[in-house]
Amino acid sequence: MKIDRFIKAALLGLSLGVGTAPAMGVAETLRVTDTGPSRALKVPMNRAVVVESDNPFAELSIANPGIADISTLSDRTIYVLGKTPGRTTLTLLGPDGKLLSNVEVHVTPDISEFKERLRQILPGEGIEVRTANDGIVLSGVVSSPNRMTLALDLANRYAPERVSNMMSVGGTQQVMLKVRFAEMGRSVRKALSSSVTLGNPVGSGVNIGASAGTWLQNGNNLPDSEVITVSGDQEGVMSIGFGAGSFRVGVLLEALEAKGVVRTLAEPNLTALSGQEAAFLAGGEFPIPVAQEEGAIAVEYKPFGVELTFTPTVLTDDVINLQLKAAVSGLDSSVSYQNGGLILNSFRRRETSTTVELRDGESFAIAGLIEDDFQDAIGSVPWLGDLPVLGALFRSTEYERRQSELVIIVSAHLVTPTRGEFLAVPTDRIRPPSEKDLFLFGKTAASSTPTVGVAAEVAKQDFSGSYGYVME
């Protein structure tokens, strides 16, 4: 009977070991003596531990079967299976009902598999894994916030909402972003118009032509050019008059050519910590009246100037993820709204919003725009404007072309702080003049300049080229 009982117990233990923990089998063995167990019993979740007793027991009980499950292999051997993280108590009673021992059972998350997966997914990272109560504690130094997030996500698979993060990120985690707005605009406008006037000394006359302006006050004053008035610009106006007896003929030619070039450059620089948002505005705020209830007027302010908002995230191998929004705006007097005595100008704005990835020191052209607007118009007197050669006297022709090219370039740098004396600012090379230098010698700046340090090196530079805050 005893042999049969031992064989059945052995088969039961083998089946439980194979069914519940094929990878590890029995994790460890705890021995219970007359003085009780030497330590608490730690059982990994979904793993098994064998408890051996020096004295035979007749009855077993577990305080919380939901935390751990037990089965007997013999009258001296117990098989304990961890089910859910937590603490409970295993009680052993002898044949006479006497208490043999109370064993504290501590079921913890199985971190052996977690450690193995962590080494496979994040090789080379110095992450230490420990258990605390029913959770997992991660500590050590990782190379980037992205890898820290991956480690936390993996830990939550094994201990949901019971992960303590004590890890820190090594390396440089501050990013300086340099944004360059470069825009060139070109415009060309040409116009040619003419008018012919016929008159007599009595004062009657007729004006024939396609000119936009009224240039004749009295027909009998031809060819006196001083009475000619032209609406709009006066450039390129020429009048010709001649008479035959009492008959007067006047011709007005108006030609205009305008060219213009506009160059716009803005270079905002801003530094932020990885994962934190930073904002920059160099400009102002324009007041805009807004009608309220009962005729009240409120004032809202709209910012304009150079705006920059970005959030950097330093990834593995010095790769920088940038979420940025950059804009350059200003008042545009060519388009306005007028209501009574109130005049509101519109805003001209260049804006981009995007997400890019680049390495330390690299640049990216994140936006580009080419505009080419062309328009022309011809006005003429019917039939007369269609005459060969002479028809040009009865036509008004103009055309306008505007071209604009915009490029926005971003550059990212991993930066670290330095000592204040190693930094130079634009004011280092210029000092206010004394009264003697200003009134007697007419100097707008002091003659003394720094002789040592970074400020002295900056002071040696002249003003023949670009100057200001420059960082290469």
Side-chain angles (χ1 to χ4, degrees):
M1 293 296 293
K2 290 184 179 180
I3 295 176
D4 294 340
R5 180 180 177 185
F6 180 76
I7 294 175
K8 291 180 181 180
L11 292 175
L12 175 62
L14 181 61
S15 63
L16 288 174
V18 173
T20 58
M24 291 186 58
V26 177
E28 59 176 312
T29 300
L30 178 68
R31 191 169 188 84
V32 179
T33 62
D34 295 338
T35 58
S38 58
R39 55 185 171 83
L41 178 62
K42 292 186 177 181
V43 184
M45 187 174 62
N46 296 325
R47 303 294 182 182
V49 173
V50 175
V51 178
E52 294 182 349
S53 175
D54 288 345
N55 301 317
F57 55 83
E59 185 177 351
L60 298 174
S61 65
I62 188 78
N64 189 346
I67 296 178
D69 195 7
I70 58 174
S71 60
T72 58
L73 300 178
S74 68
D75 58 353
R76 298 174 183 270
T77 308
I78 310 166
Y79 195 85
V80 181
L81 174 65
K83 298 173 63 178
T84 305
R87 294 177 181 271
T88 186
T89 302
L90 171 65
T91 302
L92 286 71
L93 300 177
D96 55 355
K98 183 179 179 181
L99 177 64
L100 296 180
S101 178
N102 281 327
V103 180
E104 183 180 357
V105 180
H106 184 197
V107 179
T108 61
D110 184 12
I111 62 174
S112 58
E113 182 182 357
F114 170 60
K115 288 181 178 180
E116 182 180 354
R117 296 291 180 266
L118 199 61
R119 286 192 299 268
Q120 294 174 352
I121 297 175
L122 300 175
E125 298 292 340
I127 302 176
E128 298 180 2
V129 183
R130 299 181 179 89
T131 59
N133 197 3
D134 59 346
I136 296 177
V137 178
L138 300 180
S139 60
V141 180
V142 293
S143 58
S144 68
N146 184 42
R147 296 208 163 192
M148 177 187 292
T149 303
L150 291 176
L152 292 175
D153 290 343
L154 183 60
N156 278 303
R157 297 279 185 175
Y158 291 86
E161 299 183 358
R162 297 190 305 274
V163 179
S164 298
N165 180 20
M166 299 181 65
M167 295 182 292
S168 59
V169 180
T172 303
Q173 297 299 313
Q174 296 184 98
V175 179
M176 186 191 74
L177 183 66
K178 179 180 180 181
V179 182
R180 285 181 287 172
F181 295 84
E183 181 178 10
M184 288 295 297
R186 297 174 294 272
S187 62
V188 177
R189 180 177 179 268
K190 294 183 179 181
L192 177 63
S193 61
S194 62
S195 294
V196 178
T197 300
L198 307 176
N200 56 57
V202 180
S204 61
V206 59
N207 184 2
I208 304 175
S211 178
T214 300
W215 59 277
L216 183 64
Q217 291 182 342
N218 287 302
N220 59 347
N221 288 330
L222 283 172
D224 298 332
S225 60
E226 64 271 14
V227 300
I228 296 176
T229 59
V230 181
S231 62
D233 299 332
Q234 299 293 327
E235 295 88 349
V237 177
M238 181 180 64
S239 62
I240 302 175
F242 59 91
S246 62
F247 188 74
R248 298 288 186 270
V249 177
V251 178
L252 175 70
L253 296 178
E254 184 176 358
L256 176 65
E257 180 177 6
K259 298 180 181 180
V261 176
V262 178
R263 177 179 183 268
T264 302
L265 179 65
E267 295 188 8
N269 295 347
L270 191 59
T271 302
L273 188 65
S274 176
Q276 301 296 318
E277 182 182 284
F280 173 87
L281 172 63
E285 292 186 341
F286 184 75
I288 300 177
V290 179
Q292 303 292 325
E293 297 180 357
E294 299 179 358
I297 300 295
V299 178
E300 294 183 358
Y301 290 89
K302 180 179 179 62
F304 67 91
V306 180
E307 303 174 62
L308 174 62
T309 302
F310 81 105
T311 302
T313 302
V314 181
L315 306 177
T316 309
D317 298 331
D318 292 340
V319 176
I320 304 171
N321 178 279
L322 289 177
Q323 299 179 8
L324 64 94
K325 181 178 181 182
V328 173
S329 59
L331 296 177
D332 186 4
S333 59
S334 62
V335 180
S336 62
Y337 168 77
Q338 183 173 359
N339 185 3
L342 179 63
I343 300 177
L344 296 178
N345 293 327
S346 65
F347 281 82
R348 189 170 185 268
R349 186 177 181 88
R350 294 290 190 268
E351 180 179 353
T352 180
S353 177
T354 184
T355 301
V356 296
E357 287 188 357
L358 64 167
R359 296 183 180 274
D360 178 26
E362 294 182 341
S363 299
F364 223 128
I366 61 172
L369 174 66
I370 296 178
E371 293 180 312
D372 191 350
D373 298 331
F374 174 80
Q375 60 181 1
D376 58 6
I378 297 178
S380 64
V381 177
W383 302 298
L384 296 180
D386 297 332
L387 294 176
V389 182
L390 294 178
L393 297 177
F394 305 98
R395 287 197 301 266
S396 175
T397 306
E398 65 175 324
Y399 83 88
E400 183 177 4
R401 185 174 186 179
R402 294 182 179 180
Q403 295 177 316
S404 177
E405 184 175 359
L406 170 68
V407 176
I408 302 178
I409 300 175
V410 297
S411 302
H413 302 272
L414 294 176
V415 295
T416 56
T418 185
R419 297 179 62 87
E421 57 267 24
F422 296 151
L423 297 177
V425 295
T427 56
D428 286 343
R429 77 179 88 184
I430 301 299
R431 296 181 180 179
S434 64
E435 294 182 357
K436 177 182 177 182
D437 292 335
L438 180 62
F439 291 104
L440 294 182
F441 301 102
K443 295 182 178 180
T444 58
S447 57
S448 61
T449 56
T451 58
V452 294
V454 179
E457 296 297 327
V458 176
K460 294 178 182 178
Q461 304 175 12
D462 55 23
F463 289 89
S464 59
S466 301
Y467 60 92
Y469 182 77
V470 179
M471 180 178 180
E472 298 295 342

